[in-house]
Amino acid sequence: MERWIIHSDINHCYAQIEEMMYPELRNVPMAIGGHEEDRHGIILAKNDLAKKYHIKTGESLRDAFQKCPELLIVPPHYDDYLFYTEEVKRIYREYSDKVESFGLDEAWIDITGTEKLFHKTAMELAEEIQRRVFKELGLTVSMGLSFNKVFAKLGSDLDKKQGLAVITRDNFKDMVFPLPVADILYIGKATSSQLNERNIYTLGDLALSSKEYIKSFLGKNGEMVWLFANGYDTLSVNSSQQVIKSVGNGITAKHDIHTIEEAKIVLSMLAESVAKRLRQSNKLGSVISIGMRYKDLQGLSRQKRVDTPTNIAQEILDMVMILLRDNWNMAIPLRSLSISVSSLVEKETYAYQMSLFNTANEEDRYEQLHLEEIIQEIKERWGEKSIKYGHSLLDEELSDFSTQLGMDIHPPGFLR
């Protein structure tokens, strides 16, 4: 049976969700971005009107305003993006039990055999999914339909305005081979440059080259991209729930950090946000890491394993403060800090060994956890700034940031 795999991509996801929630934003050049004075001044997404001014994702707000002085910057609302992208995937799951997320806005859907269940062709199913997403959620998605995941992903990139590209075994040489090598998955700038230096510019050039030759200068990755270009990808759509491997958060401070006390203001907020996400995921972690980037942009990271896995902010903070004091060259100010917790276990399955002799410590842990949960309830009801650590008042500029901005949850990669 021929495989049929859809790759679906929500068009300019963040900006489109904002336009769906606030339709008046469709009438002005608009982009999602941070605040330049917070050093978060980059474009995260833009709408079609901003695109006409050649606004690019990842460029600074300063450069964007030079291109379009009337550009409207909207701060990101991650909770809304998480909610609506999951609603889109809920529709996908009505057509297949094999749906694999690739970031918030992208997913593969294996509809092999499903067309018989719905009495429609694979293309008709893809078109129906597109229509339902637009009708029920007001969002457009671009799709690629092919016999493998890599070509399906490639197809969804060919037309970013609710397009649908079908790449088959019969037409893939006509559709794929003329494209630049950088268009296919896992060929970035460095790999593309190495190929171009050897007069390999298109995917056809790559596919028709000797596999051994490509492997000779790109190694194992070269063999992989050669197989991809020739349509030999056999990767399956993994519908199993992705395992979270680490939870982390980081921020670039509003001004350089010179003292331990200043660093603690930032780290306490980051620890609180990481602990919150661990609890939401029902996880405990036993390896706590700190990342530090100096004013000269040099950086380092250090980690330490704790005896008892934790999701308590105070315990995470205590450990990163030890790592900070032991490893920070205070002669150079810090520009950014990050925290991550890894070696995660499920809270319900972790067999916690209670002590017969140190019950006071266990009672303290329970009380601290209960306190943090109460604080979180207050913040969820009244806002992030409704309750603060007392030491944050020592430098309110440093504590004036959203802990949602840098939140990362790291699952396994595409190749697994």
Side-chain angles (χ1 to χ4, degrees):
M1 182 183 297
E2 180 66 285
R3 291 203 305 168
W4 283 113
I5 296 174
I6 297 170
H7 181 272
S8 186
D9 185 358
I10 302 173
N11 305 136
H12 51 273
C13 179
Y14 293 178
Q16 192 183 177
I17 290 174
E18 294 288 348
E19 288 181 334
M20 180 268 292
M21 294 190 297
Y22 308 102
E24 63 272 17
L25 294 176
R26 297 171 183 160
N27 302 320
V28 296
M30 178 271 292
I32 313 300
H35 301 289
E36 193 165 23
E37 64 272 18
D38 295 349
R39 291 181 179 171
H40 300 298
I42 63 169
I43 301 296
L44 301 175
K46 72 278 184 186
N47 68 2
D48 286 336
L49 290 178
K51 189 176 180 180
K52 292 181 179 180
Y53 290 87
H54 305 290
I55 306 296
K56 297 180 180 179
T57 300
E59 74 176 331
S60 69
L61 296 187
R62 183 174 301 172
D63 291 342
F65 281 125
Q66 287 179 349
K67 297 176 181 177
C68 180
E70 64 271 28
L71 182 67
L72 176 64
I73 300 297
V74 176
H77 299 99
Y78 291 108
D79 288 343
D80 292 323
Y81 307 154
L82 285 166
F83 174 80
Y84 285 108
T85 54
E86 185 56 32
E87 285 295 291
V88 171
K89 290 168 189 173
R90 176 186 57 77
I91 294 175
Y92 299 163
R93 295 186 185 103
E94 293 184 28
Y95 292 84
S96 175
D97 60 349
K98 295 180 180 179
V99 176
E100 178 182 348
S101 295
F102 194 55
L104 276 185
D105 53 343
E106 301 181 44
W108 282 282
I109 314 162
D110 189 339
I111 58 170
T112 305
T114 305
E115 65 268 30
K116 294 182 179 179
L117 178 65
F118 287 89
H119 304 290
K120 294 182 179 181
T121 66
M123 185 170 180
E124 287 171 341
L125 281 178
E127 291 173 334
E128 181 174 311
I129 296 171
Q130 280 185 318
R131 287 194 298 269
R132 282 196 58 191
V133 171
F134 183 72
K135 181 180 179 180
E136 296 177 25
L137 298 171
L139 299 173
T140 63
V141 294
S142 294
M143 288 185 168
L145 176 64
S146 190
F147 58 94
N148 66 52
K149 289 172 70 176
V150 171
F151 282 175
K153 161 72 174 166
L154 184 65
S156 70
D157 292 332
L158 293 179
D159 186 350
K160 302 301 289 184
K161 187 65 176 178
Q162 203 173 4
L164 173 56
V166 182
I167 301 176
T168 67
R169 295 186 189 276
D170 294 330
N171 72 7
F172 84 86
K173 292 183 180 180
D174 293 331
M175 294 190 67
V176 173
F177 280 14
L179 300 173
V181 288
D183 282 5
I184 208 164
L185 203 61
Y186 279 95
I187 295 187
K189 288 184 179 180
T191 303
S192 181
S193 296
Q194 291 185 68
L195 291 166
N196 292 169
E197 288 170 0
R198 293 164 174 83
N199 295 318
I200 299 173
Y201 295 99
T202 68
L203 289 170
D205 295 336
L206 173 60
L208 297 174
S209 298
S210 162
K211 178 174 67 174
E212 289 70 25
Y213 174 62
I214 302 299
K215 191 176 179 181
S216 69
F217 62 90
L218 290 181
K220 188 175 181 180
N221 186 59
E223 180 178 6
M224 178 182 68
V225 296
W226 182 89
L227 290 169
F228 285 175
N230 278 285
Y232 297 145
D233 161 37
T234 59
L235 294 167
S236 61
V237 175
N238 190 334
S239 57
S240 61
Q241 186 174 5
Q242 293 184 329
V243 178
I244 298 173
K245 292 193 172 182
S246 69
V247 175
N249 202 352
I251 196 75
T252 298
K254 284 191 175 182
H255 64 71
D256 294 328
I257 298 169
H258 296 85
T259 67
I260 293 291
E261 291 73 20
E262 289 179 340
K264 185 177 180 180
I265 293 172
V266 175
L267 290 171
S268 61
M269 295 180 65
L270 295 177
E272 186 179 51
S273 69
V274 170
K276 169 192 170 184
R277 188 54 63 90
L278 285 168
R279 292 195 292 269
Q280 289 175 335
S281 305
N282 292 314
K283 301 289 185 182
L284 302 167
S286 56
V287 174
I288 299 172
S289 307
I290 184 173
M292 296 176 276
R293 188 170 293 278
Y294 291 111
K295 184 178 180 179
D296 62 4
L297 299 184
Q298 297 298 311
L300 62 90
S301 62
R302 295 291 185 269
Q303 66 181 36
K304 190 172 180 63
R305 182 177 292 274
V306 294
D307 295 332
T308 302
T310 185
N311 59 10
I312 299 174
Q314 187 60 53
E315 294 180 353
I316 296 170
L317 177 62
D318 289 344
M319 182 55 67
V320 296
M321 291 304 297
I322 292 171
L323 292 169
L324 177 76
R325 291 187 177 96
D326 290 347
N327 296 283
W328 180 16
N329 176 9
M330 295 183 64
I332 308 175
L334 292 172
R335 181 168 181 175
S336 63
L337 287 165
S338 63
I339 293 175
S340 68
V341 177
S342 56
S343 290
L344 305 183
V345 294
E346 292 289 339
K347 181 181 177 182
E348 289 79 5
T349 60
Y350 175 69
Y352 177 63
Q353 181 64 51
M354 295 185 66
S355 170
L356 294 175
F357 308 103
N358 194 14
T359 56
N361 182 57
E362 290 161 7
E363 290 173 0
D364 289 344
R365 293 188 82 230
Y366 175 79
E367 290 179 1
Q368 179 63 34
L369 177 60
H370 184 55
L371 174 63
E372 291 181 13
E373 290 173 340
I374 292 173
I375 291 172
Q376 194 55 52
E377 287 179 12
I378 293 172
K379 289 191 172 187
E380 288 175 358
R381 183 171 183 179
W382 302 106
E384 277 193 271
K385 298 181 181 179
S386 59
I387 183 168
K388 293 184 176 183
Y389 291 101
H391 62 257
S392 69
L393 301 177
L394 297 173
D395 191 328
E396 294 190 73
E397 188 178 19
L398 273 179
S399 63
D400 185 22
F401 66 90
S402 170
T403 54
Q404 297 184 67
L405 280 174
M407 181 59 68
D408 291 311
I409 296 181
H410 297 289
F414 168 70
L415 295 176
R416 266 185 294 281

